[in-house]
PDB file of all heavy atoms in Angstrom:
ATOM      1  N   ALA B 187       3.581-111.976-172.146  1.00 96.00           N
ATOM      2  CA  ALA B 187       2.386-111.395-172.754  1.00 96.00           C
ATOM      3  C   ALA B 187       1.641-112.412-173.612  1.00 96.00           C
ATOM      4  O   ALA B 187       0.466-112.235-173.918  1.00 96.00           O
ATOM      5  CB  ALA B 187       2.739-110.166-173.580  1.00 96.00           C
ATOM      6  N   ALA B 188       2.334-113.473-174.031  1.00 98.00           N
ATOM      7  CA  ALA B 188       1.702-114.493-174.873  1.00 98.00           C
ATOM      8  C   ALA B 188       1.034-115.596-174.053  1.00 98.00           C
ATOM      9  O   ALA B 188       0.517-116.566-174.604  1.00 98.00           O
ATOM     10  CB  ALA B 188       2.737-115.092-175.820  1.00 98.00           C
ATOM     11  N   THR B 189       1.046-115.465-172.739  1.00 98.00           N
ATOM     12  CA  THR B 189       0.350-116.432-171.885  1.00 98.00           C
ATOM     13  C   THR B 189      -1.145-116.384-172.183  1.00 98.00           C
ATOM     14  O   THR B 189      -1.730-115.313-172.271  1.00 98.00           O
ATOM     15  CB  THR B 189       0.579-116.074-170.402  1.00 98.00           C
ATOM     16  OG1 THR B 189       1.982-116.010-170.159  1.00 98.00           O
ATOM     17  CG2 THR B 189      -0.072-117.098-169.482  1.00 98.00           C
ATOM     18  N   LYS B 190      -1.743-117.558-172.342  1.00 98.00           N
ATOM     19  CA  LYS B 190      -3.196-117.611-172.489  1.00 98.00           C
ATOM     20  C   LYS B 190      -3.818-117.137-171.174  1.00 98.00           C
ATOM     21  O   LYS B 190      -3.368-117.548-170.091  1.00 98.00           O
ATOM     22  CB  LYS B 190      -3.641-119.034-172.814  1.00 98.00           C
ATOM     23  CG  LYS B 190      -3.109-119.546-174.157  1.00 98.00           C
ATOM     24  CD  LYS B 190      -3.681-118.745-175.315  1.00 98.00           C
ATOM     25  CE  LYS B 190      -3.049-119.114-176.644  1.00 98.00           C
ATOM     26  NZ  LYS B 190      -3.530-118.229-177.748  1.00 98.00           N
ATOM     27  N   ASP B 191      -4.835-116.312-171.248  1.00 97.00           N
ATOM     28  CA  ASP B 191      -5.331-115.673-170.032  1.00 97.00           C
ATOM     29  C   ASP B 191      -6.854-115.577-170.058  1.00 97.00           C
ATOM     30  O   ASP B 191      -7.463-115.500-171.124  1.00 97.00           O
ATOM     31  CB  ASP B 191      -4.718-114.265-169.916  1.00 97.00           C
ATOM     32  CG  ASP B 191      -4.632-113.781-168.467  1.00 97.00           C
ATOM     33  OD1 ASP B 191      -5.297-114.360-167.579  1.00 97.00           O
ATOM     34  OD2 ASP B 191      -3.896-112.797-168.230  1.00 97.00           O
ATOM     35  N   TYR B 192      -7.415-115.566-168.875  1.00 97.00           N
ATOM     36  CA  TYR B 192      -8.875-115.482-168.683  1.00 97.00           C
ATOM     37  C   TYR B 192      -9.584-116.700-169.277  1.00 97.00           C
ATOM     38  O   TYR B 192     -10.755-116.628-169.629  1.00 97.00           O
ATOM     39  CB  TYR B 192      -9.464-114.212-169.334  1.00 97.00           C
ATOM     40  CG  TYR B 192      -8.659-112.972-169.095  1.00 97.00           C
ATOM     41  CD1 TYR B 192      -7.927-112.390-170.125  1.00 97.00           C
ATOM     42  CD2 TYR B 192      -8.613-112.388-167.832  1.00 97.00           C
ATOM     43  CE1 TYR B 192      -7.178-111.246-169.917  1.00 97.00           C
ATOM     44  CE2 TYR B 192      -7.862-111.237-167.608  1.00 97.00           C
ATOM     45  CZ  TYR B 192      -7.146-110.675-168.657  1.00 97.00           C
ATOM     46  OH  TYR B 192      -6.406-109.548-168.451  1.00 97.00           O
ATOM     47  N   ILE B 193      -8.886-117.816-169.390  1.00 98.00           N
ATOM     48  CA  ILE B 193      -9.445-118.977-170.087  1.00 98.00           C
ATOM     49  C   ILE B 193     -10.362-119.768-169.151  1.00 98.00           C
ATOM     50  O   ILE B 193      -9.907-120.341-168.161  1.00 98.00           O
ATOM     51  CB  ILE B 193      -8.303-119.886-170.606  1.00 98.00           C
ATOM     52  CG1 ILE B 193      -7.265-119.070-171.397  1.00 98.00           C
ATOM     53  CG2 ILE B 193      -8.881-121.022-171.454  1.00 98.00           C
ATOM     54  CD1 ILE B 193      -7.793-118.346-172.605  1.00 98.00           C
ATOM     55  N   GLY B 194     -11.635-119.782-169.461  1.00 98.00           N
ATOM     56  CA  GLY B 194     -12.614-120.517-168.660  1.00 98.00           C
ATOM     57  C   GLY B 194     -12.362-122.011-168.743  1.00 98.00           C
ATOM     58  O   GLY B 194     -12.011-122.540-169.801  1.00 98.00           O
ATOM     59  N   ASN B 195     -12.535-122.703-167.597  1.00 98.00           N
ATOM     60  CA  ASN B 195     -12.306-124.152-167.492  1.00 98.00           C
ATOM     61  C   ASN B 195     -10.825-124.504-167.343  1.00 98.00           C
ATOM     62  O   ASN B 195     -10.501-125.673-167.134  1.00 98.00           O
ATOM     63  CB  ASN B 195     -12.854-124.922-168.709  1.00 98.00           C
ATOM     64  CG  ASN B 195     -14.145-125.667-168.385  1.00 98.00           C
ATOM     65  OD1 ASN B 195     -14.632-125.603-167.266  1.00 98.00           O
ATOM     66  ND2 ASN B 195     -14.686-126.383-169.359  1.00 98.00           N
ATOM     67  N   ALA B 196      -9.944-123.503-167.483  1.00 98.00           N
ATOM     68  CA  ALA B 196      -8.513-123.819-167.486  1.00 98.00           C
ATOM     69  C   ALA B 196      -7.972-124.082-166.086  1.00 98.00           C
ATOM     70  O   ALA B 196      -7.159-124.989-165.883  1.00 98.00           O
ATOM     71  CB  ALA B 196      -7.716-122.689-168.142  1.00 98.00           C
ATOM     72  N   ALA B 197      -8.414-123.302-165.113  1.00 98.00           N
ATOM     73  CA  ALA B 197      -7.752-123.361-163.798  1.00 98.00           C
ATOM     74  C   ALA B 197      -7.920-124.714-163.121  1.00 98.00           C
ATOM     75  O   ALA B 197      -7.032-125.138-162.370  1.00 98.00           O
ATOM     76  CB  ALA B 197      -8.276-122.238-162.894  1.00 98.00           C
ATOM     77  N   CYS B 198      -9.040-125.400-163.377  1.00 98.00           N
ATOM     78  CA  CYS B 198      -9.295-126.671-162.672  1.00 98.00           C
ATOM     79  C   CYS B 198      -9.673-127.841-163.564  1.00 98.00           C
ATOM     80  O   CYS B 198      -9.197-128.950-163.356  1.00 98.00           O
ATOM     81  CB  CYS B 198     -10.432-126.493-161.664  1.00 98.00           C
ATOM     82  SG  CYS B 198     -10.142-125.261-160.408  1.00 98.00           S
ATOM     83  N   HIS B 199     -10.536-127.640-164.542  1.00 98.00           N
ATOM     84  CA  HIS B 199     -11.277-128.776-165.089  1.00 98.00           C
ATOM     85  C   HIS B 199     -10.876-129.271-166.466  1.00 98.00           C
ATOM     86  O   HIS B 199     -11.098-130.440-166.791  1.00 98.00           O
ATOM     87  CB  HIS B 199     -12.771-128.465-165.084  1.00 98.00           C
ATOM     88  CG  HIS B 199     -13.308-128.291-163.686  1.00 98.00           C
ATOM     89  ND1 HIS B 199     -14.209-127.314-163.347  1.00 98.00           N
ATOM     90  CD2 HIS B 199     -13.032-128.956-162.551  1.00 98.00           C
ATOM     91  CE1 HIS B 199     -14.493-127.400-162.060  1.00 98.00           C
ATOM     92  NE2 HIS B 199     -13.784-128.375-161.551  1.00 98.00           N
ATOM     93  N   ALA B 200     -10.336-128.401-167.299  1.00 98.00           N
ATOM     94  CA  ALA B 200     -10.122-128.822-168.686  1.00 98.00           C
ATOM     95  C   ALA B 200      -8.995-129.838-168.799  1.00 98.00           C
ATOM     96  O   ALA B 200      -7.927-129.669-168.206  1.00 98.00           O
ATOM     97  CB  ALA B 200      -9.818-127.605-169.555  1.00 98.00           C
ATOM     98  N   GLU B 201      -9.263-130.889-169.552  1.00 98.00           N
ATOM     99  CA  GLU B 201      -8.200-131.849-169.878  1.00 98.00           C
ATOM    100  C   GLU B 201      -7.555-131.495-171.202  1.00 98.00           C
ATOM    101  O   GLU B 201      -6.428-131.882-171.482  1.00 98.00           O
ATOM    102  CB  GLU B 201      -8.790-133.253-169.982  1.00 98.00           C
ATOM    103  CG  GLU B 201      -9.320-133.791-168.664  1.00 98.00           C
ATOM    104  CD  GLU B 201     -10.285-134.938-168.900  1.00 98.00           C
ATOM    105  OE1 GLU B 201      -9.894-135.924-169.535  1.00 98.00           O
ATOM    106  OE2 GLU B 201     -11.449-134.805-168.458  1.00 98.00           O
ATOM    107  N   VAL B 202      -8.318-130.793-172.020  1.00 98.00           N
ATOM    108  CA  VAL B 202      -7.889-130.498-173.375  1.00 98.00           C
ATOM    109  C   VAL B 202      -8.111-129.010-173.641  1.00 98.00           C
ATOM    110  O   VAL B 202      -9.091-128.452-173.166  1.00 98.00           O
ATOM    111  CB  VAL B 202      -8.727-131.319-174.383  1.00 98.00           C
ATOM    112  CG1 VAL B 202      -8.309-131.013-175.798  1.00 98.00           C
ATOM    113  CG2 VAL B 202      -8.637-132.800-174.083  1.00 98.00           C
ATOM    114  N   ALA B 203      -7.190-128.419-174.374  1.00 98.00           N
ATOM    115  CA  ALA B 203      -7.373-127.021-174.776  1.00 98.00           C
ATOM    116  C   ALA B 203      -7.346-126.913-176.294  1.00 98.00           C
ATOM    117  O   ALA B 203      -6.535-127.564-176.949  1.00 98.00           O
ATOM    118  CB  ALA B 203      -6.270-126.146-174.181  1.00 98.00           C
ATOM    119  N   VAL B 204      -8.262-126.120-176.829  1.00 98.00           N
ATOM    120  CA  VAL B 204      -8.105-125.703-178.222  1.00 98.00           C
ATOM    121  C   VAL B 204      -7.255-124.433-178.165  1.00 98.00           C
ATOM    122  O   VAL B 204      -7.692-123.406-177.643  1.00 98.00           O
ATOM    123  CB  VAL B 204      -9.458-125.419-178.897  1.00 98.00           C
ATOM    124  CG1 VAL B 204      -9.245-124.771-180.258  1.00 98.00           C
ATOM    125  CG2 VAL B 204     -10.257-126.708-179.041  1.00 98.00           C
ATOM    126  N   VAL B 205      -6.029-124.551-178.659  1.00 98.00           N
ATOM    127  CA  VAL B 205      -5.065-123.462-178.529  1.00 98.00           C
ATOM    128  C   VAL B 205      -4.925-122.724-179.864  1.00 98.00           C
ATOM    129  O   VAL B 205      -4.664-123.352-180.898  1.00 98.00           O
ATOM    130  CB  VAL B 205      -3.684-124.001-178.088  1.00 98.00           C
ATOM    131  CG1 VAL B 205      -2.660-122.866-178.035  1.00 98.00           C
ATOM    132  CG2 VAL B 205      -3.798-124.689-176.742  1.00 98.00           C
ATOM    133  N   PHE B 206      -5.112-121.421-179.818  1.00 98.00           N
ATOM    134  CA  PHE B 206      -4.889-120.606-181.013  1.00 98.00           C
ATOM    135  C   PHE B 206      -3.443-120.109-180.990  1.00 98.00           C
ATOM    136  O   PHE B 206      -2.988-119.529-180.005  1.00 98.00           O
ATOM    137  CB  PHE B 206      -5.886-119.446-181.061  1.00 98.00           C
ATOM    138  CG  PHE B 206      -7.287-119.921-181.371  1.00 98.00           C
ATOM    139  CD1 PHE B 206      -8.073-120.483-180.381  1.00 98.00           C
ATOM    140  CD2 PHE B 206      -7.790-119.849-182.659  1.00 98.00           C
ATOM    141  CE1 PHE B 206      -9.354-120.962-180.659  1.00 98.00           C
ATOM    142  CE2 PHE B 206      -9.068-120.314-182.945  1.00 98.00           C
ATOM    143  CZ  PHE B 206      -9.849-120.875-181.949  1.00 98.00           C
ATOM    144  N   ALA B 207      -2.764-120.351-182.091  1.00 98.00           N
ATOM    145  CA  ALA B 207      -1.332-120.042-182.129  1.00 98.00           C
ATOM    146  C   ALA B 207      -0.922-119.664-183.551  1.00 98.00           C
ATOM    147  O   ALA B 207      -1.591-120.029-184.525  1.00 98.00           O
ATOM    148  CB  ALA B 207      -0.533-121.262-181.661  1.00 98.00           C
ATOM    149  N   GLN B 208       0.168-118.942-183.635  1.00 98.00           N
ATOM    150  CA  GLN B 208       0.758-118.649-184.954  1.00 98.00           C
ATOM    151  C   GLN B 208       1.364-119.939-185.479  1.00 98.00           C
ATOM    152  O   GLN B 208       2.283-120.502-184.875  1.00 98.00           O
ATOM    153  CB  GLN B 208       1.852-117.587-184.820  1.00 98.00           C
ATOM    154  CG  GLN B 208       1.408-116.272-184.192  1.00 98.00           C
ATOM    155  CD  GLN B 208       0.500-115.427-185.106  1.00 98.00           C
ATOM    156  OE1 GLN B 208       0.360-115.735-186.308  1.00 98.00           O
ATOM    157  NE2 GLN B 208      -0.097-114.401-184.536  1.00 98.00           N
ATOM    158  N   LEU B 209       0.853-120.395-186.604  1.00 98.00           N
ATOM    159  CA  LEU B 209       1.350-121.648-187.167  1.00 98.00           C
ATOM    160  C   LEU B 209       2.607-121.370-188.005  1.00 98.00           C
ATOM    161  O   LEU B 209       2.568-120.528-188.913  1.00 98.00           O
ATOM    162  CB  LEU B 209       0.264-122.289-188.044  1.00 98.00           C
ATOM    163  CG  LEU B 209       0.466-123.757-188.374  1.00 98.00           C
ATOM    164  CD1 LEU B 209       0.176-124.613-187.136  1.00 98.00           C
ATOM    165  CD2 LEU B 209      -0.441-124.168-189.529  1.00 98.00           C
ATOM    166  N   VAL B 210       3.689-122.028-187.654  1.00 98.00           N
ATOM    167  CA  VAL B 210       4.929-121.843-188.394  1.00 98.00           C
ATOM    168  C   VAL B 210       5.271-123.177-189.058  1.00 98.00           C
ATOM    169  O   VAL B 210       5.455-124.190-188.378  1.00 98.00           O
ATOM    170  CB  VAL B 210       6.080-121.402-187.472  1.00 98.00           C
ATOM    171  CG1 VAL B 210       7.359-121.179-188.271  1.00 98.00           C
ATOM    172  CG2 VAL B 210       5.690-120.135-186.709  1.00 98.00           C
ATOM    173  N   VAL B 211       5.314-123.181-190.374  1.00 97.00           N
ATOM    174  CA  VAL B 211       5.597-124.406-191.115  1.00 97.00           C
ATOM    175  C   VAL B 211       6.726-124.107-192.107  1.00 97.00           C
ATOM    176  O   VAL B 211       6.624-123.135-192.874  1.00 97.00           O
ATOM    177  CB  VAL B 211       4.352-124.913-191.889  1.00 97.00           C
ATOM    178  CG1 VAL B 211       4.655-126.228-192.586  1.00 97.00           C
ATOM    179  CG2 VAL B 211       3.161-125.059-190.956  1.00 97.00           C
ATOM    180  N   GLY B 212       7.754-124.888-192.036  1.00 95.00           N
ATOM    181  CA  GLY B 212       8.890-124.661-192.928  1.00 95.00           C
ATOM    182  C   GLY B 212       9.487-123.274-192.741  1.00 95.00           C
ATOM    183  O   GLY B 212       9.899-122.629-193.706  1.00 95.00           O
ATOM    184  N   GLY B 213       9.477-122.801-191.508  1.00 94.00           N
ATOM    185  CA  GLY B 213      10.064-121.494-191.219  1.00 94.00           C
ATOM    186  C   GLY B 213       9.169-120.328-191.589  1.00 94.00           C
ATOM    187  O   GLY B 213       9.489-119.176-191.325  1.00 94.00           O
ATOM    188  N   GLU B 214       7.995-120.633-192.179  1.00 95.00           N
ATOM    189  CA  GLU B 214       7.121-119.544-192.623  1.00 95.00           C
ATOM    190  C   GLU B 214       5.891-119.457-191.723  1.00 95.00           C
ATOM    191  O   GLU B 214       5.255-120.478-191.412  1.00 95.00           O
ATOM    192  CB  GLU B 214       6.678-119.798-194.067  1.00 95.00           C
ATOM    193  CG  GLU B 214       5.981-118.612-194.690  1.00 95.00           C
ATOM    194  CD  GLU B 214       5.623-118.892-196.169  1.00 95.00           C
ATOM    195  OE1 GLU B 214       6.119-119.911-196.723  1.00 95.00           O
ATOM    196  OE2 GLU B 214       4.861-118.109-196.740  1.00 95.00           O
ATOM    197  N   SER B 215       5.563-118.246-191.309  1.00 95.00           N
ATOM    198  CA  SER B 215       4.394-118.059-190.452  1.00 95.00           C
ATOM    199  C   SER B 215       3.141-118.011-191.309  1.00 95.00           C
ATOM    200  O   SER B 215       3.084-117.299-192.310  1.00 95.00           O
ATOM    201  CB  SER B 215       4.540-116.781-189.641  1.00 95.00           C
ATOM    202  OG  SER B 215       3.415-116.651-188.805  1.00 95.00           O
ATOM    203  N   ARG B 216       2.155-118.787-190.910  1.00 96.00           N
ATOM    204  CA  ARG B 216       0.926-118.896-191.698  1.00 96.00           C
ATOM    205  C   ARG B 216      -0.268-118.246-191.002  1.00 96.00           C
ATOM    206  O   ARG B 216      -1.402-118.447-191.402  1.00 96.00           O
ATOM    207  CB  ARG B 216       0.619-120.380-191.955  1.00 96.00           C
ATOM    208  CG  ARG B 216       1.682-121.079-192.773  1.00 96.00           C
ATOM    209  CD  ARG B 216       1.722-120.507-194.201  1.00 96.00           C
ATOM    210  NE  ARG B 216       2.604-121.295-195.065  1.00 96.00           N
ATOM    211  CZ  ARG B 216       2.542-121.234-196.405  1.00 96.00           C
ATOM    212  NH1 ARG B 216       1.666-120.446-196.999  1.00 96.00           N
ATOM    213  NH2 ARG B 216       3.368-121.958-197.128  1.00 96.00           N
ATOM    214  N   GLY B 217      -0.006-117.545-189.962  1.00 95.00           N
ATOM    215  CA  GLY B 217      -1.112-116.896-189.243  1.00 95.00           C
ATOM    216  C   GLY B 217      -1.692-117.798-188.176  1.00 95.00           C
ATOM    217  O   GLY B 217      -1.208-118.911-187.938  1.00 95.00           O
ATOM    218  N   VAL B 218      -2.742-117.294-187.537  1.00 97.00           N
ATOM    219  CA  VAL B 218      -3.309-117.978-186.375  1.00 97.00           C
ATOM    220  C   VAL B 218      -4.152-119.183-186.800  1.00 97.00           C
ATOM    221  O   VAL B 218      -5.004-119.069-187.686  1.00 97.00           O
ATOM    222  CB  VAL B 218      -4.161-116.996-185.539  1.00 97.00           C
ATOM    223  CG1 VAL B 218      -4.931-117.736-184.451  1.00 97.00           C
ATOM    224  CG2 VAL B 218      -3.271-115.918-184.924  1.00 97.00           C
ATOM    225  N   HIS B 219      -3.868-120.324-186.189  1.00 98.00           N
ATOM    226  CA  HIS B 219      -4.626-121.554-186.379  1.00 98.00           C
ATOM    227  C   HIS B 219      -4.903-122.176-185.016  1.00 98.00           C
ATOM    228  O   HIS B 219      -4.281-121.799-184.021  1.00 98.00           O
ATOM    229  CB  HIS B 219      -3.839-122.555-187.234  1.00 98.00           C
ATOM    230  CG  HIS B 219      -3.662-122.119-188.655  1.00 98.00           C
ATOM    231  ND1 HIS B 219      -2.936-120.997-189.000  1.00 98.00           N
ATOM    232  CD2 HIS B 219      -4.122-122.646-189.817  1.00 98.00           C
ATOM    233  CE1 HIS B 219      -2.969-120.845-190.320  1.00 98.00           C
ATOM    234  NE2 HIS B 219      -3.675-121.837-190.847  1.00 98.00           N
ATOM    235  N   ALA B 220      -5.809-123.152-185.010  1.00 98.00           N
ATOM    236  CA  ALA B 220      -6.172-123.790-183.744  1.00 98.00           C
ATOM    237  C   ALA B 220      -5.706-125.236-183.706  1.00 98.00           C
ATOM    238  O   ALA B 220      -5.798-125.947-184.707  1.00 98.00           O
ATOM    239  CB  ALA B 220      -7.686-123.731-183.540  1.00 98.00           C
ATOM    240  N   LEU B 221      -5.216-125.655-182.544  1.00 98.00           N
ATOM    241  CA  LEU B 221      -4.771-127.040-182.353  1.00 98.00           C
ATOM    242  C   LEU B 221      -5.357-127.572-181.046  1.00 98.00           C
ATOM    243  O   LEU B 221      -5.573-126.813-180.099  1.00 98.00           O
ATOM    244  CB  LEU B 221      -3.247-127.120-182.235  1.00 98.00           C
ATOM    245  CG  LEU B 221      -2.393-126.549-183.355  1.00 98.00           C
ATOM    246  CD1 LEU B 221      -2.039-125.097-183.061  1.00 98.00           C
ATOM    247  CD2 LEU B 221      -1.117-127.381-183.538  1.00 98.00           C
ATOM    248  N   VAL B 222      -5.556-128.874-181.020  1.00 98.00           N
ATOM    249  CA  VAL B 222      -6.009-129.504-179.782  1.00 98.00           C
ATOM    250  C   VAL B 222      -4.781-129.918-178.979  1.00 98.00           C
ATOM    251  O   VAL B 222      -3.939-130.672-179.463  1.00 98.00           O
ATOM    252  CB  VAL B 222      -6.867-130.745-180.066  1.00 98.00           C
ATOM    253  CG1 VAL B 222      -7.391-131.321-178.751  1.00 98.00           C
ATOM    254  CG2 VAL B 222      -8.009-130.405-180.992  1.00 98.00           C
ATOM    255  N   VAL B 223      -4.685-129.402-177.761  1.00 98.00           N
ATOM    256  CA  VAL B 223      -3.512-129.688-176.934  1.00 98.00           C
ATOM    257  C   VAL B 223      -3.972-130.238-175.583  1.00 98.00           C
ATOM    258  O   VAL B 223      -4.666-129.536-174.837  1.00 98.00           O
ATOM    259  CB  VAL B 223      -2.665-128.411-176.713  1.00 98.00           C
ATOM    260  CG1 VAL B 223      -1.424-128.730-175.883  1.00 98.00           C
ATOM    261  CG2 VAL B 223      -2.293-127.769-178.031  1.00 98.00           C
ATOM    262  N   PRO B 224      -3.613-131.472-175.241  1.00 98.00           N
ATOM    263  CA  PRO B 224      -3.943-131.992-173.911  1.00 98.00           C
ATOM    264  C   PRO B 224      -3.188-131.188-172.846  1.00 98.00           C
ATOM    265  O   PRO B 224      -2.013-130.866-173.032  1.00 98.00           O
ATOM    266  CB  PRO B 224      -3.430-133.435-173.947  1.00 98.00           C
ATOM    267  CG  PRO B 224      -3.283-133.764-175.402  1.00 98.00           C
ATOM    268  CD  PRO B 224      -2.926-132.477-176.078  1.00 98.00           C
ATOM    269  N   ILE B 225      -3.887-130.810-171.781  1.00 98.00           N
ATOM    270  CA  ILE B 225      -3.213-130.031-170.736  1.00 98.00           C
ATOM    271  C   ILE B 225      -3.262-130.715-169.372  1.00 98.00           C
ATOM    272  O   ILE B 225      -2.515-130.362-168.464  1.00 98.00           O
ATOM    273  CB  ILE B 225      -3.777-128.596-170.618  1.00 98.00           C
ATOM    274  CG1 ILE B 225      -5.283-128.612-170.350  1.00 98.00           C
ATOM    275  CG2 ILE B 225      -3.463-127.796-171.874  1.00 98.00           C
ATOM    276  CD1 ILE B 225      -5.863-127.234-170.069  1.00 98.00           C
ATOM    277  N   ARG B 226      -4.146-131.672-169.229  1.00 98.00           N
ATOM    278  CA  ARG B 226      -4.212-132.432-167.974  1.00 98.00           C
ATOM    279  C   ARG B 226      -4.472-133.899-168.283  1.00 98.00           C
ATOM    280  O   ARG B 226      -5.123-134.220-169.270  1.00 98.00           O
ATOM    281  CB  ARG B 226      -5.378-131.944-167.092  1.00 98.00           C
ATOM    282  CG  ARG B 226      -5.113-130.728-166.263  1.00 98.00           C
ATOM    283  CD  ARG B 226      -6.233-130.500-165.234  1.00 98.00           C
ATOM    284  NE  ARG B 226      -6.010-129.239-164.529  1.00 98.00           N
ATOM    285  CZ  ARG B 226      -6.378-128.058-164.977  1.00 98.00           C
ATOM    286  NH1 ARG B 226      -7.033-127.963-166.118  1.00 98.00           N
ATOM    287  NH2 ARG B 226      -6.111-126.963-164.286  1.00 98.00           N
ATOM    288  N   ALA B 227      -3.991-134.761-167.381  1.00 97.00           N
ATOM    289  CA  ALA B 227      -4.376-136.174-167.435  1.00 97.00           C
ATOM    290  C   ALA B 227      -4.629-136.606-166.006  1.00 97.00           C
ATOM    291  O   ALA B 227      -3.820-136.321-165.110  1.00 97.00           O
ATOM    292  CB  ALA B 227      -3.272-137.014-168.070  1.00 97.00           C
ATOM    293  N   ASP B 228      -5.756-137.241-165.778  1.00 95.00           N
ATOM    294  CA  ASP B 228      -6.142-137.667-164.425  1.00 95.00           C
ATOM    295  C   ASP B 228      -6.034-136.512-163.422  1.00 95.00           C
ATOM    296  O   ASP B 228      -5.596-136.692-162.287  1.00 95.00           O
ATOM    297  CB  ASP B 228      -5.261-138.844-163.963  1.00 95.00           C
ATOM    298  CG  ASP B 228      -5.406-140.036-164.904  1.00 95.00           C
ATOM    299  OD1 ASP B 228      -6.527-140.230-165.426  1.00 95.00           O
ATOM    300  OD2 ASP B 228      -4.397-140.725-165.135  1.00 95.00           O
ATOM    301  N   GLY B 229      -6.392-135.343-163.870  1.00 94.00           N
ATOM    302  CA  GLY B 229      -6.428-134.192-162.965  1.00 94.00           C
ATOM    303  C   GLY B 229      -5.091-133.487-162.795  1.00 94.00           C
ATOM    304  O   GLY B 229      -5.034-132.400-162.220  1.00 94.00           O
TER     305      GLY B 229
END
Side-chain angles (χ1 to χ4, degrees):
Chain B
T189 305
K190 296 295 173 185
D191 206 344
Y192 317 108
I193 309 300
N195 255 0
C198 300
H199 296 139
E201 294 161 57
V202 179
V204 171
V205 177
F206 289 79
Q208 303 289 349
L209 197 74
V210 181
V211 183
E214 190 177 349
S215 181
R216 297 294 188 162
V218 171
H219 292 64
L221 304 92
V222 184
V223 182
I225 57 173
R226 278 191 185 84
D228 300 326

